Amino acid sequence: MDLDSIECVPSSHGIDEEEQESVHHPFVKIGTAGFNGVGGGGVGIAAAHGLPPATSVHELLECPVCTNSMYPPIHQCHNGHTLCSTCKSRVHNRCPTCRQELGDIRCLALEKVAESLELPCKYYSLGCPEIFPYYSKLKHEAQCNFRPYNCPYAGSECSVVGDIPCLVAHLRDDHKVDMHTGCTFNHRYVKSNPREVENATWMLTVFHCFGQYFCLHFEAFQLGMAPVYMAFLRFMGDENDARNYSYSLEVGANGRKLIWEGTPRSIRDSHRKVRDSHDGLIIQRNMALFFSGGDRKELKLRVTGRIWKEPQNQETGACIPNLCS
């Protein structure tokens, strides 16, 4: 895939986790409960009436205020105009269509329609083939493997989301992140005044190996009363795929050495979540200064490491620890 041809979009214009359905689906299915005399058995209501889905069921369940899909309780005014329960409190109990008082009237017929619907995942355009009952669709979408990823850049609150090729191009072109090919690395970190540590002191490098992308983070932050230095690896993909890989980190000098081995965390876990869980190589300041040598007034750390792929069990597909690595 040509990385230069992919466009990333900010989450405010793309698809975010809290956004409910607001796109037209290529198909909508009705379950066992019918509507307007249309029976169940998976018959599409749009097909039964010869109408495209966007002008039938989907628009019936679209809130006129927020344009999101309505989930019970669905409210209506005396004239039959509907809106979702969230927007009911926002319009001060006045119908946004006719300005009549809303009261506490439920649209039970429309709620019954919602119970009978089966809809595709909102990430169907990104490859998800699943179809779910109306009520369980949101739960799936929160964990869907096809949902876009957040930008793994830790230095700012970047709002860009996209698939992995999109984010790789974004990191390279917009954040100017160093890109390397290979499964070994030699990372040098120098700081002139190691006693002044801020949470924003960090570095990010992206590695490409085994056909995958990995983010190596190295940063300094305050832990209790003293600063510490931490290095960890994140996998640009889902957690299940991340388990197929392992990595090691090593730092040392003057006859001393610290080694960390672990499984990279998915970028589904935020940078802060991984850092705050201390899931990586942590170097206390005194040890870091000892590794730096000299007069201990300048921090000079060299972190080396490698990434390897765990062998697969041919029968079960499960990973077997590589005891020889």
Side-chain angles (χ1 to χ4, degrees):
M1 182 180 293
D2 186 3
L3 296 181
D4 295 329
S5 66
I6 298 176
E7 180 183 358
C8 299
V9 295
S11 60
S12 59
H13 300 290
I15 305 172
D16 57 53
E17 295 298 328
E18 296 178 356
E19 178 186 359
Q20 295 183 354
E21 198 67 38
S22 61
V23 296
H24 293 157
H25 294 303
F27 56 91
V28 179
K29 292 178 65 179
I30 296 292
T32 54
F35 177 63
N36 283 351
V38 179
V43 178
I45 188 170
H49 289 270
L51 298 172
T55 59
S56 54
V57 178
H58 185 270
E59 287 192 349
L60 282 174
L61 291 168
E62 184 179 274
C63 175
V65 179
C66 65
T67 70
N68 291 328
S69 294
M70 294 186 291
Y71 290 80
I74 300 174
H75 298 274
Q76 69 175 23
C77 71
H78 291 280
N79 293 323
H81 302 127
T82 57
L83 78 165
C84 69
S85 58
T86 301
C87 290
K88 182 176 183 290
S89 60
R90 296 175 181 173
V91 298
H92 306 292
N93 207 37
R94 288 285 176 182
C95 175
T97 304
C98 65
R99 309 307 300 171
Q100 295 296 314
E101 186 175 353
L102 285 171
D104 293 315
I105 306 174
R106 294 269 294 274
C107 185
L108 300 180
L110 201 54
E111 291 182 7
K112 192 69 175 177
V113 172
E115 292 176 358
S116 68
L117 285 182
E118 291 183 353
L119 296 172
C121 171
K122 73 175 178 180
Y123 302 121
Y124 72 91
S125 62
L126 300 178
C128 183
E130 303 294 338
I131 300 175
F132 294 91
Y134 195 73
Y135 286 98
S136 61
K137 193 169 76 77
L138 288 181
K139 182 178 180 181
H140 159 79
E141 289 169 351
Q143 300 296 325
C144 179
N145 289 336
F146 291 90
R147 70 191 190 277
Y149 297 88
N150 295 320
C151 173
Y153 193 75
S156 63
E157 296 297 328
C158 184
S159 61
V160 168
V161 298
D163 59 14
I164 299 304
C166 164
L167 291 182
V168 170
H170 166 67
L171 289 171
R172 180 194 64 209
D173 300 335
D174 298 329
H175 293 300
K176 310 301 180 184
V177 171
D178 289 336
M179 301 282 178
H180 297 275
T181 300
C183 58
T184 60
F185 43 87
N186 192 330
H187 188 93
R188 190 167 184 264
Y189 184 80
V190 178
K191 185 173 176 62
S192 59
N193 188 350
R195 297 184 181 279
E196 294 180 1
V197 178
E198 299 178 355
N199 290 334
T201 305
W202 60 272
M203 295 180 68
L204 171 64
T205 308
V206 173
F207 292 89
H208 182 227
C209 57
F210 304 110
Q212 307 289 342
Y213 290 92
F214 300 84
C215 295
L216 176 64
H217 296 267
F218 186 88
E219 67 177 275
F221 63 97
Q222 203 78 17
L223 183 62
M225 299 298 294
V228 298
Y229 306 92
M230 182 175 179
F232 58 90
L233 197 71
R234 286 200 292 165
F235 174 75
M236 296 188 70
D238 283 318
E239 181 181 356
N240 289 338
D241 294 328
R243 296 193 186 105
N244 294 327
Y245 302 91
S246 297
Y247 74 103
S248 65
L249 296 172
E250 180 178 312
V251 61
N254 299 323
R256 304 292 188 273
K257 183 186 298 184
L258 288 176
I259 299 176
W260 165 270
E261 285 193 5
T263 301
R265 297 279 286 271
S266 166
I267 59 172
R268 295 286 190 203
D269 291 334
S270 69
H271 161 269
R272 181 179 295 275
K273 180 179 180 180
V274 179
R275 190 197 73 181
D276 292 348
S277 67
H278 304 163
D279 190 4
L281 175 66
I282 297 180
I283 312 162
Q284 302 293 333
R285 183 179 63 183
N286 288 339
M287 182 63 72
L289 292 174
F290 178 78
F291 288 153
S292 300
D295 56 8
R296 298 165 65 93
K297 293 182 179 180
E298 184 178 45
L299 184 71
K300 296 179 180 179
L301 289 178
R302 185 175 297 277
V303 178
T304 60
R306 69 185 184 96
I307 306 167
W308 66 90
K309 188 173 184 178
E310 296 288 356
Q312 299 287 318
N313 186 320
Q314 297 299 323
E315 295 183 357
T316 65
C319 290
I320 304 173
N322 188 346
L323 300 178
C324 298
S325 59

